């Protein structure tokens, strides 16, 4: 057990699997108490159960303001504070023609990838301000920095998240609230098939070949980057879109 987040409470959305699960486990290893939040209740309960007494879980649909408020209340009831808010939950359409994405899918992308950041701010900024500061961290994507055909609406949502991060960082700096985002390259998570359109050895090889370090990201890669940004080691870092991409964006 480390102590880089000792005494801190972190709320992580989309934490039942993938990058969010990696963050929840890594943060707990470094002394944080963690709220494992996901729309997938069974997955969230599993991750929190594995972590133990330092974690609770909530079933939360981040597209709904009322559920965000319930999640924050659960965190405060259990741990008394919120020091780190990680907006990690995400949604995408399948790789393909931009004109083939139906409106319901588009609306869900914007609700989960964009509006949830708004819900988080309205919910946690007053809490963090009353505590004297905090950290807001969003999982954006390399797609928001170096977009490619086939994921246009997802790319746009992540570009929005990056701009929101930078604007929030400037506005919230006087409140001692740091705001940053991560830009991961795709990893072997539940969304990979959607990103590629289909999952074949040939497509994976083609995608890996586009990454200078020659592999996909892992939850631990993203969790370690998130850990640093959430910790006091990054106390002078705000408004950053950190590429965790093996060189993909070069």
């Amino acid at each position: 057990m480390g102590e880089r987040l000792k005494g801190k409470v972190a709320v992580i959305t989309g934490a039942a699997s993938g990058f969010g699960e990696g963050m929840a486990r890594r943060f707990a290893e470094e002394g944080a108490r963690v709220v494992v939040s996901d729309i997938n209740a069974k997955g969230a309960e599993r991750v929190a159960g594995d972590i133990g007494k330092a974690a609770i879980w909530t079933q939360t649909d981040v597209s709904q303001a009322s559920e965000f408020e319930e999640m924050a209340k659960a965190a405060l009831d259990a741990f008394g504070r919120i020091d780190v808010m990680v907006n990690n939950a995400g949604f995408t359409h399948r790789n393909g023609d931009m004109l083939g994405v139906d409106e319901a899918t588009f609306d869900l992308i914007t609700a989960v990838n964009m509006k949830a950041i708004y819900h988080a701010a309205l919910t946690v900024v007053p809490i963090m301000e009353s505590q004297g500061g905090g950290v807001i961290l969003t999982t954006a994507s390399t797609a928001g920095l170096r977009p490619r055909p086939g994921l246009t609406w997802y790319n746009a949502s992540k570009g929005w998240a990056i701009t929101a991060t930078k604007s929030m960082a400037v506005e919230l700096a006087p409140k001692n609230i740091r705001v940053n985002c991560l830009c991961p390259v795709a990893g072997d998570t539940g969304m990979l098939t959607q990103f590629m359109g289909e999952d074949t050895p040939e497509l994976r090889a083609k995608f890996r070949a586009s990454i200078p370090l020659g592999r996909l990201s892992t939850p631990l890669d993203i969790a370690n980057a998130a850990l640093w940004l959430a910790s006091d080691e990054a106390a002078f870092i705000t408004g950053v879109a950190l590429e965790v991409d093996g060189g993909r964006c070069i």
Side-chain angles (χ1 to χ4, degrees), residues 169-191:
V170 174
E171 186 163 341
L172 296 178
K175 302 178 189 296
N176 194 34
I177 298 172
R178 297 190 294 108
V179 189
N180 294 293
C181 64
L182 298 166
C183 294
V185 74
D188 194 1
T189 68
M191 294 174 70

Side-chain angles (χ1 to χ4, degrees), residues 176 178 180 228-229 231-240:
N176 194 34
R178 297 190 294 108
N180 294 293
W228 178 68
L229 286 173
S231 75
D232 292 340
E233 295 168 10
F236 201 55
I237 307 298
T238 196
V240 165

Side-chain angles (χ1 to χ4, degrees), residues 96-113:
D97 185 350
M98 59 182 280
L99 302 182
V101 176
D102 62 79
E103 187 172 359
T105 300
F106 177 86
D107 287 346
L108 190 53
I109 290 167
T110 59
V112 175
N113 296 358

Side-chain angles (χ1 to χ4, degrees), residues 19-48:
F19 296 156
E21 178 178 354
M23 291 180 206
R25 294 180 183 277
R26 189 73 185 93
F27 282 22
E29 288 174 354
E30 289 292 334
R33 291 168 291 173
V34 181
V35 179
V36 179
S37 176
D38 205 291
I39 199 168
N40 174 2
K42 288 185 178 180
E45 184 178 18
R46 173 186 59 82
V47 174

